[in-house]
Amino acid sequence: MIRVKTASEIIKMREAGKIAAGARALAGRLAVPGAKTSDIDSEVRRFIKARGAEPTFLGYNGFPKSVCISVNDRIIHGIPGSGRLRSGDIVSIDVGATKDGFVGDCAATFAVGDISGEAQTLIDATRQSFFEGLAAARAGNRVSDISKAVQTYAESLGFGVVREYVGHGVGKELHEDPEVPNYVQLPRKGADPRLIEGMTIAIEPMVNAGGSAIRVLTDGWTVVTADGSLSAHYENTVLITRGEPEILTRE
Ligand code: MG
């Protein structure tokens, strides 16, 4: 069931989104060579709590930390730990904040020190694929219009778009209906809802430098590229309006 948000709920979602976006930016600033990922997690948790919010991911389905930190060939759901970032790494940071019962969810991939041109191209393309999807996020369009825009852009550059994990509605819950895939199933089948004013969705392309196939590590969480290629992620929580979509996860 898709939950359309009221005006007062949207105000709360803006507040949660602002905190999540600030947390993402903080994590990006902390992602320097030598940084321990568990320290980034601690700093971000402090940042969120200091603003009267809760880290949405902590304890979600048993996730043990507040931030997902996924380095290089790790796509999503990496668990912060004692590992240290090194110059040349790319690091995907995914963070959620819950404030007054509403969630903001966002992610981005950051360069650690000096990275290769190929890695920077992947980061830039993943971010741009989000904005291609965002341009299609308009009342009257369907979810698959977003999916198609993301996929078309990313695949035109020869990159692989992850299938097994998708964007989603977001609001009181981190994951609400509808699913927002980054690819179109052909022939189009199943639910493909129309976008309406007041819907809030997380658009989140996960793009691999190589193939689209994934596997999950034995920790039960960390998702990596099957071929070992680099992967990048970019996500914002977005409000569907009568006109331009509004990014709710911004500082
Ligand atoms: Mg998400």
Side-chain angles (χ1 to χ4, degrees):
M1 188 191 73
I2 294 171
R3 300 182 198 165
V4 172
K5 276 66 179 184
T6 65
S8 63
E9 290 174 334
I10 289 165
I11 289 168
K12 291 179 180 176
M13 290 208 53
R14 272 194 202 104
E15 194 55 39
K18 186 177 177 183
I19 296 167
R24 172 179 57 183
L26 172 63
R29 291 193 296 276
L30 295 171
V32 296
K36 200 196 287 184
T37 58
S38 59
D39 289 342
I40 297 174
D41 178 77
S42 303
E43 289 293 324
V44 169
R45 185 172 61 247
R46 252 194 294 280
F47 175 95
I48 292 170
K49 284 182 167 284
R51 283 153 185 79
E54 292 298 322
T56 313
F57 299 173
L58 184 61
Y60 186 84
N61 290 339
F63 190 76
K65 296 285 184 176
S66 299
V67 188
C68 298
I69 302 182
S70 307
V71 181
N72 293 335
D73 64 329
R74 298 175 177 213
I75 303 169
I76 49 168
H77 300 169
I79 302 172
S82 58
R84 290 182 187 273
L85 300 176
R86 294 180 300 189
S87 185
D89 285 343
I90 64 171
V91 60
S92 298
I93 304 277
D94 194 350
V95 60
T98 305
K99 178 86 189 284
D100 290 337
F102 287 86
V103 175
D105 184 14
C106 60
T109 301
F110 298 95
V112 181
D114 293 322
I115 63 170
S116 69
E118 290 83 358
Q120 189 63 57
T121 299
L122 176 68
I123 290 173
D124 294 344
T126 304
R127 187 174 187 279
Q128 184 58 34
S129 70
F130 164 85
F131 283 100
E132 299 290 326
L134 182 71
R138 304 184 76 97
N141 280 359
R142 291 191 182 275
V143 167
S144 64
D145 292 310
I146 299 172
S147 311
K148 185 180 175 193
V150 170
Q151 179 181 22
T152 300
Y153 182 79
E155 290 186 348
S156 75
L157 299 171
F159 295 134
V161 175
V162 171
R163 263 64 167 169
E164 287 83 353
Y165 299 87
V166 297
H168 49 90
V170 55
K172 284 183 178 163
E173 305 291 336
L174 174 58
H175 295 113
E176 298 184 351
D177 289 335
E179 289 196 342
V180 184
N182 297 305
Y183 68 101
V184 178
Q185 286 178 292
L186 291 174
R188 295 189 189 199
K189 60 183 179 187
D192 184 12
R194 223 175 259 289
L195 300 169
I196 58 174
E197 187 185 357
M199 279 174 67
T200 46
I201 55 174
I203 301 173
E204 54 171 321
M206 289 150 259
V207 179
N208 301 343
S212 62
I214 62 112
R215 65 190 177 89
V216 179
L217 298 187
T218 51
D219 63 17
W221 281 106
T222 311
V223 181
V224 303
T225 58
D227 60 10
S229 64
L230 294 176
S231 186
H233 188 196
Y234 191 78
E235 174 184 31
N236 282 299
T237 300
V238 171
L239 170 68
I240 305 300
T241 76
R242 259 181 240 177
E244 294 291 314
E246 179 184 335
I247 294 177
L248 297 173
T249 39
R250 63 177 177 205
E251 290 184 90

